[in-house]
Amino acid sequence: MDLRAIGMGLAFALMWSSAFTSARIIVADAAPLASLSLRFLLSGIVGVLIALAMGQTWRLSPAQWRATIIFGLCQNALYLGLNFVAMQTIEASLAAIIAATMPLMVAVLGWLFLKDKIRPLGVWGLIAGVIGVAIIMGSRLSGGVDLYGVILCGIAALALSLATLSVRGASSGGNVMMIVGLQMFIGSGILAVVAYLFEPFHVRLSGPLIAAFAYTTLVPGVLATFVWFSLVNRIGAVRAATFHFLNPFFGVAVAAALLGETLGWLDVLGVAIIAGGILAVQLSKQPPSGKQPQQAA
């Protein structure tokens, strides 16, 4: 993994983790699914315009279209939609911690469905991840956390895991920015229908809402997604997922700075164990010395 990939991974993790805090601000004043649908619509327009300015086209290959649709459904409609709904009742820091388990889910799903091998170090990493989650959930549940919100975040992380495994097909072959914009439109359309059918609309305009919405639309919405696609195309889905271990640290730090959220010592211990488990899983995926795969230029 070269320095450019490391820089991209760090930038992605920070931008992505900050989305939990901005989402928490948004859902305090607006209907979650309707606001997220609008955010995706605006992000999609920006993404497509940038792609056209870069000379890209929406003439994607069948594999790109298929994976783009899956990513728009799993990452945008399900992952972010469920997280937006959940953060009406749970803290942004807890949502970030649950989302950080995604690399562990990717490893398990890859083993179950793609016949990926998990070395002993990876197995121990998965066990550590389960222990870390159990510590945090035990602490939070005893403190009266909303179980419904936790379940929604867990389903969301599973959806993102499926999206991550499909990203390689979407990002290979170029047109990365166009793919970013198109999958935003997919998420927007799905959420618009769901919001119209099931969600009471409400909005209370405020300075924090406008600022959080603009930030979420442009930074996590467009820039972070573009960086993620580019990173996966450069080093692969499994290695790119390594950077998600930073999400709980960045997510907690941003939430503490802007929302005043706090963590107990069991939360800190659980986060450290989860991060160690993720690191072990990703290290177990590294090829033997001298057999490094070629990276995209």
Side-chain angles (χ1 to χ4, degrees), residues 139-265:
S139 172
R140 292 302 182 103
L141 290 176
S142 64
V145 71
D146 179 51
L147 183 58
Y148 176 69
V150 171
I151 293 174
L152 289 183
C153 287
I155 297 174
L158 178 60
L160 181 58
S161 301
L162 295 173
T164 299
L165 292 174
S166 72
V167 158
R168 181 183 292 274
S171 57
S172 60
N175 291 320
V176 174
M177 198 66 217
M178 181 62 71
I179 291 170
V180 169
L182 293 176
Q183 53 98 353
M184 294 291 178
F185 287 143
I186 293 170
S188 177
I190 294 173
L191 290 174
V193 172
V194 176
Y196 176 78
L197 293 176
F198 302 107
E199 182 180 70
F201 180 79
H202 70 276
V203 61
R204 181 171 60 89
L205 290 179
S206 65
L209 171 62
I210 295 172
F213 187 85
Y215 174 82
T216 301
T217 299
L218 297 176
V219 181
V222 177
L223 184 57
T225 306
F226 174 73
V227 171
W228 172 251
F229 270 90
S230 302
L231 182 64
V232 169
N233 194 40
R234 188 176 185 84
I235 63 177
V238 173
R239 287 182 175 177
T242 304
F243 291 97
H244 279 279
F245 93 94
L246 294 171
N247 282 354
F249 299 106
F250 287 152
V252 166
V254 175
L258 298 182
L259 301 178
E261 294 184 2
T262 59
L263 290 178
W265 71 270

Side-chain angles (χ1 to χ4, degrees), residues 104 122-135 270 272-278 280:
L104 305 177
V123 174
W124 284 112
L126 291 174
I127 294 173
V130 171
I131 293 173
V133 170
I135 291 174
I273 294 175
I274 291 173
I278 293 171

Side-chain angles (χ1 to χ4, degrees), residues 93-128:
S93 57
L94 179 57
I97 291 170
I98 296 173
T101 64
M102 186 275 291
L104 305 177
M105 295 185 183
V106 168
V108 173
L109 292 174
W111 172 66
L112 289 175
F113 299 108
L114 302 180
K115 299 181 180 179
D116 291 343
K117 294 183 179 179
I118 301 180
R119 298 174 183 173
L121 179 61
V123 174
W124 284 112
L126 291 174
I127 294 173

